[in-house]
């Protein structure tokens, strides 16, 4: 069975944000790597409460025994993402470069998502650019995480530019993309324009979309427009 399991699928599946634990990740990676991991002498994490530090410990042991590969690095990056440890996720990328492992879409997406959780918009943008220089095509998840990082930092101009970049590529924005931009602190008029764009794209605005727009109107004291919007929502 292990021969038919994609290593990247493991890194994607074993995401604590999706409810799967580090312990499950270790078990699945052990299924793929078999004796290589067992021979490292690194203890199996005890239960779902194990943290990113244990993941990095396993990676260091695997690297020392030449047993590390991209799938393992991606799984560790994902664990750092769940722990909101973006610096540690970046450290994994550095370690990969040291042993000539080529990071892939999952690697960069996990690092950018870790930056999003900590509001590190500048490094998220830098990581996205690095990814594109390597001829890796970002997907909607990667773009959304970068937009959200810009939004968390209140850097709405970059968020809008990324949204436009998505529209200009074969990666059209979704509701999450627009909501992340709307939450970045836009002015109320630009927020209204984005809501209209969503309708043109046949995207259905949700409560988050309208809440962000209402907040933008409140900041600008546009109470009359807010009342009209509330009527429309009903």
């Amino acid at each position: 069975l292990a021969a038919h399991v994609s290593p990247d699928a493991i890194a994607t599946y074993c995401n604590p944000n999706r409810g799967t634990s580090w312990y499950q990740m270790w078990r699945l990676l052990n299924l793929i790597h078999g004796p290589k991991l067992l021979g490292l002498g690194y203890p199996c994490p005890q239960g779902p409460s194990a943290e990113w530090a244990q993941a990095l410990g396993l990676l260091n042991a695997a690297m020392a025994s030449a047993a590390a590969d991209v799938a393992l690095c991606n799984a560790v990056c994902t664990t750092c993402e769940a722990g909101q440890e973006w610096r540690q996720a970046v450290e994994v990328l550095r370690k990969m470069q040291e042993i000539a492992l080529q990071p892939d879409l999952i690697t960069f997406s996990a690092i950018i998502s870790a930056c999003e959780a900590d509001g590190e918009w500048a490094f998220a943008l830098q990581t996205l650019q690095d990814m594109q220089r390597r001829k890796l095509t970002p997907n909607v998840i990667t773009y959304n995480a970068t937009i959200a990082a810009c939004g968390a930092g209140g850097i709405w101009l970059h968020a809008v530019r990324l949204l436009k970049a998505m529209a200009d590529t074969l990666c059209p924005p979704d509701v999450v993309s627009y909501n992340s931009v709307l939450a970045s602190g836009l002015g109320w008029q630009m927020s209204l324009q984005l809501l209209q764009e969503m309708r043109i794209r046949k995207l259905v605005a949700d409560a988050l979309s309208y809440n962000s727009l209402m907040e933008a109107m409140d900041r600008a004291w546009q109470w009359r427009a807010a009342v009209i919007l509330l009527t429309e929502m009903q």
Side-chain angles (χ1 to χ4, degrees):
L1 175 62
H4 300 286
V5 179
S6 164
D8 283 342
I10 290 180
T12 302
Y13 169 76
C14 297
N15 185 337
N17 291 329
R18 297 178 56 182
T20 51
S21 68
W22 161 251
Y23 178 74
Q24 289 170 301
M25 179 181 75
W26 189 92
R27 292 290 301 273
L28 284 172
L29 284 170
N30 188 61
L31 176 67
I32 291 294
H33 292 277
K36 287 197 293 183
L37 285 186
L38 290 174
L40 296 177
Y42 193 84
C44 170
Q46 298 301 309
S49 61
E51 297 180 352
W52 56 267
Q54 291 176 299
L56 286 173
L58 174 59
L59 177 60
N60 289 333
M63 289 179 65
S65 300
D69 62 7
V70 175
L72 177 59
C73 292
N74 286 349
V76 176
C77 275
T78 300
T79 303
C80 293
E81 171 200 343
Q84 299 185 7
E85 292 287 341
W86 70 273
R87 289 182 178 84
Q88 300 301 331
V90 172
E91 179 65 12
V92 174
L93 179 61
R94 187 189 66 79
K95 290 177 180 292
M96 292 179 72
Q97 293 170 340
E98 283 183 355
I99 59 175
L101 285 179
Q102 294 299 318
D104 60 13
L105 176 63
I106 295 174
T107 316
F108 285 107
S109 294
I111 292 172
I112 291 173
S113 294
C115 292
E116 171 200 347
D118 214 16
E120 289 292 334
W121 62 270
F123 200 85
L125 282 173
Q126 181 181 327
T127 304
L128 180 66
Q129 292 166 357
D130 186 16
M131 178 181 176
Q132 292 170 323
R133 281 194 296 269
R134 294 170 184 263
K135 308 301 181 184
L136 292 172
T137 303
N139 59 17
V140 66
I141 296 173
T142 313
Y143 272 117
N144 285 351
T146 311
I147 290 172
C150 292
I155 313 298
W156 63 266
L157 182 59
H158 285 305
V160 171
R161 286 174 176 170
L162 286 169
L163 186 69
K164 185 178 185 303
M166 293 180 73
D168 292 341
T169 66
L170 298 177
C171 183
D174 59 11
V175 174
V176 175
S177 313
Y178 278 96
N179 282 352
S180 295
V181 177
L182 287 167
S184 66
L186 293 177
W188 70 276
Q189 292 175 316
M190 186 173 290
S191 296
L192 273 176
Q193 291 176 6
L194 290 184
L195 196 66
Q196 293 170 351
E197 280 186 24
M198 292 178 72
R199 291 170 178 161
I200 293 172
R201 292 182 175 276
K202 309 299 183 184
L203 296 173
V204 179
D206 58 17
L208 291 176
S209 315
Y210 283 107
N211 284 345
S212 294
L213 182 52
M214 292 289 290
E215 289 174 3
M217 291 177 172
D218 181 57
R219 289 194 299 269
W221 290 27
Q222 293 294 325
W223 300 318
R224 182 174 298 177
V227 169
I228 294 174
L229 181 63
L230 280 173
T231 303
E232 178 183 324
M233 291 171 62
Q234 294 173 352

